[in-house]
Amino acid sequence: MKRYCLALDLKDDPQLIAEYEHWHKAENSWPEIRKSILDAEILDMQIYRTGNRLFMIMETSDDYEAKRKEAMDALNPKVQEWEQLMWLFQQPLPWAKDGEKWVLMKQIFKL
């Protein structure tokens, strides 16, 4: 099993943040998005927020490949629709590369 930790910022607007959280509640999430996550060998995904900073933890199978997930998403119209909706709330980290949303974090400590 692999673990990935990623970060992204939301636009610093309480109303937009509340709406972003609305879409991430189980009863409001899109089943097609959940399926696309599971189909990519992502076994568990959690998102945490402090202020407007998001932190995602993904646990994947050993077969998970980010490039494969990216290719699958590019061919999935529902994922593209979801990403466009989410981009209304999200903003890249200041050090993100062009077009990069979630930025992979570097582990600096482990107990």
Side-chain angles (χ1 to χ4, degrees):
M1 185 179 304
K2 300 176 194 174
R3 177 178 291 153
Y4 298 87
C5 297
L6 302 105
L8 174 67
D9 282 349
L10 294 173
K11 294 176 182 172
D12 198 6
D13 177 313
Q15 187 173 349
L16 290 177
I17 291 170
E19 191 171 344
Y20 183 85
E21 288 190 2
H22 163 84
W23 287 114
H24 285 80
K25 291 181 181 174
E27 63 269 19
N28 301 321
S29 65
W30 297 2
E32 300 91 346
I33 302 308
R34 179 179 174 82
K35 182 178 181 334
S36 76
I37 291 167
L38 294 170
D39 287 351
E41 301 289 333
I42 298 170
L43 307 174
D44 187 38
M45 179 184 283
Q46 299 173 29
I47 299 175
Y48 296 83
R49 181 180 69 79
T50 181
N52 70 317
R53 176 76 32 99
L54 298 175
F55 173 61
M56 178 194 296
I57 303 170
M58 286 187 346
E59 292 188 348
T60 71
S61 75
D62 290 334
D63 296 329
Y64 172 79
E65 294 177 15
K67 293 283 186 199
R68 180 174 165 263
K69 170 74 168 123
E70 188 177 314
M72 290 169 59
D73 289 351
L75 296 173
N76 186 325
K78 204 64 176 175
V79 170
Q80 293 305 307
E81 182 182 349
W82 174 262
E83 288 300 329
Q84 286 212 318
L85 175 62
M86 292 304 104
W87 200 237
L88 297 174
F89 314 107
Q90 300 167 333
Q91 63 183 8
L93 295 170
W95 52 88
K97 297 173 188 152
D98 283 344
E100 185 177 36
K101 287 176 90 169
W102 288 95
V103 175
L104 188 62
M105 299 175 75
K106 174 183 168 187
Q107 183 181 41
I108 62 166
F109 174 80
K110 183 175 180 176
L111 186 60

